[in-house]
Amino acid sequence: MTSRNLFNLKGKVALVTGGNGGLGLGMALGLAEAGANIAIAARNPDKTSDAIKQIEGVGVRAISVPTDVTKETEIESMISQTLNKLGQIDILVNNSGVTMRKEPEDLSGDEWDHVLNVNLRACFLASKTVYPHMRDRGSGKIINIGSMTSIFGGGGSGAPYSSSKGGIVQLSKSLAVAWAKDNIQSNAILPGWFTTELTAAIPERQKERYQLISSRIPAGRWGEPEELAGVAVFLASPASDYVTGSVIAVDGGYSSF
């Protein structure tokens, strides 16, 4: 039997939405370190420029694809631009996300729709749009980013977020079943509490909440973005060719407590 590196992504192309910071950048860097060329789809050009420099520092190609994932035409352009510039898309990481911190009774329909559009609808549209390319190439990896709240509710002020992330799990499973015949694997990652720009203020400004959360994490600490890279590389690589429709929590044991 000829040996091979099951985690080698050299020559592959990964498109990461929301990949210019936080968990998205952590995964993008991990995929780059495994050898993949990277397309970053995001809105903030300054953050994306910084992310591109970090990724290129690993020794791979990296491009910026400015995208507003709430617009179907821009998602279609995101796919076509990546194909035009990098020639292929082997891995799609649907990572873009947003939340709305309001109690359910205070939410407007437009606010609800915005969260669902960014977190769930965009994931579906990006997957749908890249599907013909992956089908024709004979393989593909779709990695959808859910949340711990895919498993349990996110509290009163997290209704649209947790609803959308619950949908991510079922969408991932549905795509896995529909596209298995095309050798396309679809899986979901459920991150727990990570230290990112979005959560950086919690330890100081919400000390009681921080302590409560930390006390529930069996690992005894919050995660760092680069700690999401390992599972992303696994799901993007040949090592996971027989893994589809799976849901993997990366939360230091929080959801098992």
Side-chain angles (χ1 to χ4, degrees):
M1 179 182 291
T2 302
S3 64
R4 59 178 178 146
N5 184 348
L6 290 175
F7 300 96
N8 183 10
L9 298 179
K10 187 175 181 179
K12 303 293 187 180
V13 172
L15 170 59
V16 184
T17 69
N20 61 358
L23 301 183
L25 179 55
M27 288 184 288
L29 284 167
L31 295 169
E33 288 169 357
N37 296 316
I38 306 294
I40 297 295
R43 291 186 301 171
N44 186 314
D46 293 332
K47 282 184 64 178
T48 300
S49 178
D50 290 341
I52 293 295
K53 291 176 183 177
Q54 292 184 58
I55 294 167
E56 288 179 334
V58 175
V60 301
R61 288 188 65 190
I63 64 169
S64 169
V65 187
T67 307
D68 179 348
V69 297
T70 65
K71 299 178 180 178
E72 187 169 359
T73 56
E74 292 203 20
I75 289 176
E76 293 169 349
S77 177
M78 172 186 78
I79 300 298
S80 63
Q81 284 186 61
T82 302
L83 292 175
N84 289 337
K85 294 178 180 179
L86 295 179
Q88 64 199 62
I89 299 173
D90 304 284
I91 304 146
L92 171 64
V93 181
N94 286 307
N95 170 72
S96 291
V98 69
T99 190
M100 184 71 65
R101 303 298 299 182
K102 285 188 175 182
E103 295 299 317
E105 64 270 23
D106 297 324
L107 280 167
S108 70
D110 287 343
E111 289 170 332
W112 172 273
D113 288 345
H114 177 65
V115 175
L116 270 290
N117 285 344
V118 173
N119 295 1
L120 185 56
R121 182 174 182 269
C123 178
F124 161 69
L125 290 173
S127 301
K128 171 181 179 290
T129 306
V130 81
Y131 166 72
H133 172 72
M134 288 184 171
R135 177 199 61 203
D136 292 346
R137 283 181 61 81
S139 65
K141 303 281 189 175
I142 297 174
I143 303 170
N144 299 319
I145 308 306
S147 164
M148 294 178 300
T149 62
S150 298
I151 303 173
F152 44 79
S157 59
Y161 182 82
S162 56
S163 297
S164 68
K165 293 303 186 178
I168 285 290
V169 168
Q170 297 307 322
L171 175 62
S172 300
K173 290 176 179 288
S174 297
L175 297 183
V177 173
W179 296 343
K181 68 183 187 302
D182 303 300
N183 194 30
I184 296 171
Q185 290 82 54
S186 167
N187 295 287
I189 300 174
L190 310 186
W193 289 101
F194 280 76
T195 302
T196 67
E197 295 173 3
L198 296 177
T199 62
I202 293 178
E204 289 299 321
R205 296 183 183 178
Q206 303 178 47
K207 291 183 179 180
E208 290 186 5
R209 182 185 180 207
Y210 176 73
Q211 291 170 355
L212 178 61
I213 291 168
S214 300
S215 70
R216 274 208 53 187
I217 303 174
R221 62 179 178 83
W222 290 35
E224 298 296 329
E226 58 266 26
E227 292 183 293
L228 210 57
V231 69
V233 170
F234 167 66
L235 292 176
S237 73
S240 63
D241 282 352
Y242 198 58
V243 178
T244 195
S246 292
V247 179
I248 303 176
V250 184
D251 61 3
Y254 187 98
S255 58
S256 300
F257 191 81

